[in-house]
Amino acid sequence: MKTIETVAVIGLGYIGLPTAAILATNGIKVTGVDVNQKTVDAVNRGEVPFVEPDLGVHVAGAVSQGNLRATTETPTAEAYIVAVPTPFLADRSADLSYIEAAARGIAPKLTGNELVILESTSPPRATRHLAEFILALRPDLSLDGANGAPVVHFAHCPERVLPGRVMIELVTNDRIVGGITAEAAELAKSLYAVFCQGEILVTDDVTAEMAKLVENSYRDVNIAFANELSVISDKLGIDVWELIRLANHHPRVNILQPGPGVGGHCIAVDPWFIVAASPDESKLIRTAREVNDSKPEWVVDKVREAAESVGSEPTIAALGLAFKANIDDLRESPAIGIAASLADRLPSAKILVAEPHVDALPSALKGHSNVRLTVTAEAIAEADIVLVLVDHDEFKVVDSESLVGKTVIDTRGIWRARDSEDLPAANAIAS
Ligand code: SAJ
């Protein structure tokens, strides 16, 4: 089998850029392609346009070694890795237009014997769609060499790295590689083996696509269970964090943590691709999505109840906007929807948002005159109601004294772990 020496990575986002950087620091000549000129310029300066631990060192090193460069034009390469977004459409089926745009860039560059890998999280049969799309543009090429036409190899290799740990998990996680043909899978396996120290498991393309969706649905269903328990516990007047901590002492029970809802581009999205592919059979998966999607509204209702008891013009400190702890990623974050909904429903309230990982409010909140971004201490000091939306480390070390006399709505249970004497328990509402 041939050794791949040049790779083009299409899409320099949260997955494409780390993948490009890790290939480049392992000796592959990598060209990163992105439609955003600012991203391209940043990468060529050796900089990273978003927060991800250790990524900056890899990008700077790869660029200075001359192994990584970025451009807006798809170049000629031996392998193409497509890592573009796959959002969902209004009917919750996947929007494959970014994949198709990447395919339009790749198609004219092919001469035969290249490997095209789809890394974007995709609905079942998206890799085949990509292959058919490219071969429709290039009928002189083929999947199997029929009529002597040069072959292009297509594979799906879903990423499974956890934001915040990407540079570690890219190397250590096991990987699934699914080929439209066995040869495509083996070629893709050999490319990932350049940097992946985990096991590389080979299968067909559709099983690989489903494996990724199933992993995230598994997590979604389990988070939904925790979120449902939090709502039940609230009704029963018991502390859900204590309940879960105790139940998890059972050797075969491991309940996840409730929160204000599920965010991020993966877990809140991927299960819908399974539902869209098999609607009548995906009852549990759909219900879990609905349970998690309904949690933000439940939190909003809790805050409104608390606001009523404070009286007119309450000040609410909303701690955190990111979709999870210690990152700056705001994609699909339930915290943003909650803050926006509070701003709408409580027009006389002042909402002080503290998000240490961003320096400006996202567009969904900018239009609200009663929402302001500030620092944690100031938000808490001014607040009647303190609403924890993200379990950032910075919030965990907040001085308990500063919370005395305030109503605390802690959707992440971060202040539950403290010595109970430290807690402003009389005012606290667990969610
Ligand atoms: N969350 C809870 N309670 C929990 C765990 C998570 O409410 O106990 C919430 C988080 O706050 C966040 C959301 O769920 O809003 C998702 O966070 P996450 O840490 O579970 O996952 P992601 O979206 O950062 O990354 C997931 C990972 N998938 C799995 O763990 C199965 C990651 O490995 C995937 O690579 C990533 O999706 C992806 O790109 O698909």
Side-chain angles (χ1 to χ4, degrees), residues 245-315:
R245 187 177 68 78
L246 295 175
N248 281 349
H249 274 268
H250 186 290
R252 285 174 295 283
V253 173
N254 186 13
I255 303 169
L256 295 179
Q257 298 300 304
V262 168
H265 180 63
C266 310
I267 295 188
V269 177
D270 299 0
W272 289 119
F273 294 169
I274 302 181
V275 176
S278 193
D280 294 340
E281 295 75 20
S282 310
K283 296 186 185 68
L284 180 62
I285 295 170
R286 178 199 296 271
T287 303
R289 267 295 61 246
E290 287 166 356
V291 167
N292 286 333
D293 274 354
S294 68
K295 192 69 192 292
E297 206 42 50
W298 187 84
V299 174
V300 168
D301 286 344
K302 286 278 143 200
V303 180
R304 289 171 69 200
E305 278 168 28
E308 266 169 36
S309 46
V310 169
S312 62
E313 305 190 359
T315 299

Side-chain angles (χ1 to χ4, degrees), residues 121 159-163 169 212 215-216 219 223 256-259 261-263 266-267 270 323-324 412:
T121 301
E159 60 76 19
R160 300 141 99 195
V161 288
L162 197 70
E169 293 203 359
K212 163 74 191 215
E215 289 162 11
N216 281 348
R219 198 153 166 85
I223 297 169
L256 295 179
Q257 298 300 304
V262 168
C266 310
I267 295 188
D270 299 0
F323 84 83
K324 66 177 193 176
R412 299 281 186 172

Side-chain angles (χ1 to χ4, degrees), residues 77-373:
E78 291 163 282
Y80 297 85
I81 296 179
V82 177
V84 295
T86 42
F88 56 47
L89 296 164
D91 68 354
R92 293 193 169 122
S93 64
D95 176 0
L96 301 183
S97 60
Y98 297 90
I99 293 179
E100 291 171 359
R104 277 191 210 97
I106 295 169
K109 303 291 172 184
L110 300 172
T111 54
N113 217 18
E114 292 91 351
L115 170 65
V116 180
I117 297 175
L118 180 60
E119 268 215 22
S120 310
T121 301
S122 299
R125 304 192 188 281
T127 310
R128 284 174 199 212
H129 178 77
L130 169 65
E132 282 159 13
F133 195 91
I134 286 182
L135 294 178
L137 292 170
R138 291 292 307 274
D140 54 317
L141 302 172
S142 73
L143 277 180
D144 52 9
N147 303 323
V151 175
V152 183
H153 306 282
F154 290 91
H156 182 61
C157 182
E159 60 76 19
R160 300 141 99 195
V161 288
L162 197 70
R165 284 178 47 84
V166 169
M167 299 317 289
I168 299 164
E169 293 203 359
L170 263 181
V171 175
T172 57
N173 282 3
D174 293 345
R175 271 207 91 141
I176 297 173
V177 171
I180 289 189
T181 61
E183 197 182 347
E186 286 305 324
L187 255 180
K189 180 177 177 176
S190 71
L191 180 58
Y192 285 99
V194 166
F195 63 85
C196 175
Q197 291 168 10
E199 213 178 320
I200 302 179
L201 306 144
V202 172
T203 183
D204 65 81
D205 52 323
V206 183
T207 307
E209 287 160 349
M210 273 301 280
K212 163 74 191 215
L213 303 179
V214 162
E215 289 162 11
N216 281 348
S217 296
Y218 170 85
R219 198 153 166 85
D220 196 45
V221 168
N222 283 280
I223 297 169
F225 183 67
N227 276 332
E228 189 162 290
L229 288 183
S230 76
V231 175
I232 295 169
S233 298
D234 183 72
K235 198 158 193 176
L236 298 179
I238 60 171
D239 179 346
V240 69
W241 315 101
E242 172 79 348
L243 173 69
I244 291 175
R245 187 177 68 78
L246 295 175
N248 281 349
H249 274 268
H250 186 290
R252 285 174 295 283
V253 173
N254 186 13
I255 303 169
L256 295 179
Q257 298 300 304
V262 168
H265 180 63
C266 310
I267 295 188
V269 177
D270 299 0
W272 289 119
F273 294 169
I274 302 181
V275 176
S278 193
D280 294 340
E281 295 75 20
S282 310
K283 296 186 185 68
L284 180 62
I285 295 170
R286 178 199 296 271
T287 303
R289 267 295 61 246
E290 287 166 356
V291 167
N292 286 333
D293 274 354
S294 68
K295 192 69 192 292
E297 206 42 50
W298 187 84
V299 174
V300 168
D301 286 344
K302 286 278 143 200
V303 180
R304 289 171 69 200
E305 278 168 28
E308 266 169 36
S309 46
V310 169
S312 62
E313 305 190 359
T315 299
I316 302 167
L319 304 189
L321 289 180
F323 84 83
K324 66 177 193 176
N326 305 326
I327 57 170
D328 68 342
D329 193 339
L330 306 185
R331 288 180 299 173
E332 315 284 335
S333 177
I336 295 177
I338 290 169
S341 179
L342 287 173
D344 280 338
R345 311 264 198 95
L346 298 171
S348 65
K350 186 158 84 173
I351 298 166
L352 299 177
V353 173
E355 175 43 81
H357 300 277
V358 303
D359 47 25
L361 284 175
S363 53
L365 293 175
K366 267 188 187 144
H368 296 276
S369 57
N370 54 343
V371 181
R372 185 161 63 80
L373 185 68

